[in-house]
């Protein structure tokens, strides 16, 4: 009963394809993507979202997410859905982070590291990971005291606290 909002490249992995809502992070979106996202948020499916929109990056020697996008907050509030914060301990290879950093340093608009995502998943096959699950956050707690973007950064901090 799970659906993922996924980078469309990961839809090539047979196990993820039936569970994924493909998001094109490199170009034009499928015209129906916004409708599909709305439908899944209105459904009874549990939804896994990677709120940064990209995999974590190596930033100042530490693997961490880029700032989170506001979409998950907005859709959760609009559809009266609680958010369950989850911290996943997994990492990609040093090669992946190196490629991402080189691409950024060169100012490339295309995210070359993304091409290695499926390989990264397969490389971690059979590995064990720690998953820390926080207490659900009711949508009414995400009030007007902050913008959706500010709530997203607050939630990011809460998720990282789960690892302490």
């Amino acid at each position: 009963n799970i659906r993922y909002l996924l980078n469309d490249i990961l839809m090539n992995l047979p196990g993820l394809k039936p569970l994924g809502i493909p998001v094109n992070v490199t170009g034009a979106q499928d015209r129906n993507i916004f409708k599909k996202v709305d439908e899944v948020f209105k459904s009874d499916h549990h939804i896994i979202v990677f709120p940064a929109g990209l995999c974590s990056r190596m930033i100042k020697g530490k693997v961490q997410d880029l700032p989170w996008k506001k979409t998950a907050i907005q859709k959760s509030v609009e559809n009266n859905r609680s958010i369950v914060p989850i911290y996943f301990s997994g990492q990609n290879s040093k090669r992946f982070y190196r490629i991402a950093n080189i691409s950024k340093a060169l100012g490339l608009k295309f995210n070359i590291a993304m091409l290695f995502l499926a390989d990264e998943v397969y490389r971690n096959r059979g590995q064990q990971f720690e998953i820390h699950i926080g207490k659900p956050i009711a949508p009414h707690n995400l009030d007007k005291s902050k913008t959706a973007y500010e709530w997203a950064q607050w939630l990011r901090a809460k998720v990282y606290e789960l690892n302490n």
Side-chain angles (χ1 to χ4, degrees), residues 96-140:
F96 178 87
Y97 298 119
R98 197 170 30 254
I99 291 168
N101 286 337
I102 290 169
S103 296
K104 182 179 177 185
L106 292 173
L108 300 178
K109 293 188 183 218
F110 183 75
N111 178 6
I112 295 173
M114 171 180 61
L115 299 173
F116 294 88
L117 283 177
D119 184 56
E120 292 293 324
V121 171
Y122 281 114
R123 284 176 179 252
N124 283 300
R125 199 175 30 184
Q127 299 296 315
Q128 291 186 8
F129 303 97
E130 284 186 30
I131 298 175
H132 302 271
I133 301 173
K135 294 179 182 175
I137 300 165
H140 67 267

Side-chain angles (χ1 to χ4, degrees), residues 21-22 29-39:
I21 305 297
Q29 290 292 347
D30 170 357
R31 292 179 187 200
N32 296 320
I33 186 63
F34 301 110
K35 182 179 176 185
K36 289 177 186 175
V37 170
D38 282 339
E39 285 173 3

Side-chain angles (χ1 to χ4, degrees), residues 62-74:
K62 185 177 176 185
V63 176
Q64 56 185 305
D65 283 351
L66 297 170
W68 284 9
K69 309 249 187 268
K70 61 184 180 180
T71 305
I73 299 291
Q74 287 176 318

Side-chain angles (χ1 to χ4, degrees), residues 9-22:
I9 288 178
L10 291 176
M11 295 299 285
N12 292 305
L13 297 173
L16 291 178
K17 189 169 186 159
L19 306 174
I21 305 297

